[in-house]
Amino acid sequence: MQNDIILLGHGSGGKLSHQLLDDLIIPTLSGTALKDQNDAAVLAIPQGDGRLAFTTDSYVVDPLFFPGGNIGDLAINGTVNDLAMSGARPLAISVGLILEEGLPLADLKRILQSMRKAAEIAEIAIVTGDTKVVPRGKADRLFINTAGIGIVEHGLTLGGSLARPGDKILINGPIGDHGMAILSSREGLEMEADICSDCAPLHGLVADILAAGGEAVHVLRDPTRGGVATTLKEIALQSQVEITLHEKHLPCRREVLGICRLLGLDPLYVANEGKVLCVVAADKAAAVLEAMQKHPLGQQACSIGEVHHSISGRVTLRTAIGGLRSVDMLTGEQLPRIC
């Protein structure tokens, strides 16, 4: 590692995050499940049927409340989605609250109510937790840690290393909404059109994807930190393939695209909280896409690229004017504390 201190970029989900994981955290902890670097670990049940999925995450979003949600429902939906990306049905979740002295109880109650509602919608039980309070100035009002378990009730195997040449890349709708909603709320930007976070539980949509595609579904990933670009770069490296995206097919709301251009941001690297990237064999892509479009969270689903035979791990973007540019992982921190 080039730096001897932690930088904000180490939490971006991009290149520095991967260096921190690969060079320090994983080698030191040496957990076998961690080596896969998927959204959840899938574990066999001793002397039982099926498999368990297990995940954990922490939420430090700033501000606590933003258009389309707050840190509470973000924490629940984010953990549900990490389980869903492994093909699991979410079962139970733990909630750890780190509260800063001075946090208004009214804000805490509002956030807890959002968590309960999100859990009810996702049909996941909040079964255990912990609460700590730190002195004023030692945190930023509220941080939340969650851990979730789910059950894998089918024999399918999903993972970032399973993309195959010829596969199609599908996504369930426009990119960049969450990151731009956070940025606009944080910076007080006034916009002619409202932009809301796409924060949502994806397990129902994933169930429909798996029902339509079965073994043809190879990879499911939610492109959160680092956005679509970093997530697909991870998949290309893990699978040792090359991925090509088509700019003219990438869905992005005009409002989001306009703000990105104004601020010099690339929507490919902006975070999402209600999107799933699906890597599926070509012969089942149309059926999976149709199933996605029938789901309320996938009505704008579309095909955005394909996988090619190559061990390069490259991701390229075919631009709207026919050019080709390389797409790498996010470098540094484009938008800190977006989840």
Side-chain angles (χ1 to χ4, degrees), residues 92-96 125-129 145-148:
I93 189 170
S94 72
V95 173
I126 300 174
V127 295
T128 188
N145 173 263
T146 59

Side-chain angles (χ1 to χ4, degrees), residues 79-301:
T79 303
V80 165
N81 292 344
D82 283 344
L83 293 170
M85 295 306 116
S86 66
R89 177 169 62 86
L91 291 178
I93 189 170
S94 72
V95 173
L97 301 173
I98 299 175
L99 311 175
E100 185 185 32
E101 180 186 21
L103 176 71
L105 285 176
D107 287 351
L108 179 59
K109 182 177 181 179
R110 184 178 165 194
I111 289 166
L112 295 175
Q113 288 173 332
S114 295
M115 298 181 80
R116 177 175 176 173
K117 183 178 180 181
E120 290 173 349
I121 292 172
E123 298 181 322
I124 188 170
I126 300 174
V127 295
T128 188
D130 181 52
T131 303
K132 295 290 191 301
V133 178
V134 298
R136 194 184 301 267
K138 299 296 184 181
D140 193 357
R141 295 162 290 165
L142 170 63
F143 298 148
I144 298 176
N145 173 263
T146 59
I149 59 171
I151 187 166
V152 181
E153 299 171 301
H154 49 72
L156 306 176
T157 299
L158 305 167
S161 63
L162 299 178
R164 295 291 178 262
D167 287 355
K168 299 295 183 182
I169 312 293
L170 312 179
I171 192 167
N172 62 316
I175 63 175
D177 289 3
H178 177 73
M180 286 300 99
I182 295 294
L183 180 65
S184 62
S185 181
R186 184 186 302 168
E187 303 300 332
L189 299 179
E190 295 183 1
M191 303 172 189
E192 293 182 358
D194 293 334
I195 298 177
C196 293
S197 169
D198 59 346
C199 181
L202 296 169
H203 61 300
L205 175 61
V206 166
D208 289 353
I209 289 172
L210 296 179
E215 294 180 351
V217 180
H218 297 155
V219 187
L220 294 174
R221 283 283 178 85
D222 54 343
T224 53
R225 292 178 306 166
V228 167
T230 300
T231 303
L232 289 179
K233 181 67 178 182
E234 291 171 354
I235 294 171
L237 289 171
Q238 285 183 274
S239 298
Q240 294 189 307
V241 295
E242 181 169 334
I243 292 174
T244 298
L245 293 173
H246 299 281
E247 188 176 43
K248 64 181 181 181
H249 295 157
L250 278 171
C252 186
R253 299 185 199 281
R254 185 178 59 182
E255 299 86 347
V256 170
L257 194 57
I259 297 171
C260 284
R261 286 173 175 165
L262 181 67
L263 301 177
L265 302 174
D266 187 338
L268 274 174
Y269 293 94
V270 177
N272 312 272
E273 289 294 341
K275 295 295 174 293
V276 54
L277 287 165
C278 178
V279 183
V280 58
D283 62 342
K284 286 284 188 178
V288 172
L289 185 59
E290 182 179 359
M292 294 172 75
Q293 291 169 339
K294 288 180 178 177
H295 192 280
L297 295 177
Q299 293 176 351
Q300 298 181 66

Side-chain angles (χ1 to χ4, degrees), residues 46-61:
Q47 299 177 337
D49 296 329
R51 292 168 291 166
L52 285 178
F54 181 45
T55 188
T56 187
D57 210 337
S58 298
Y59 298 86
V60 297
V61 64

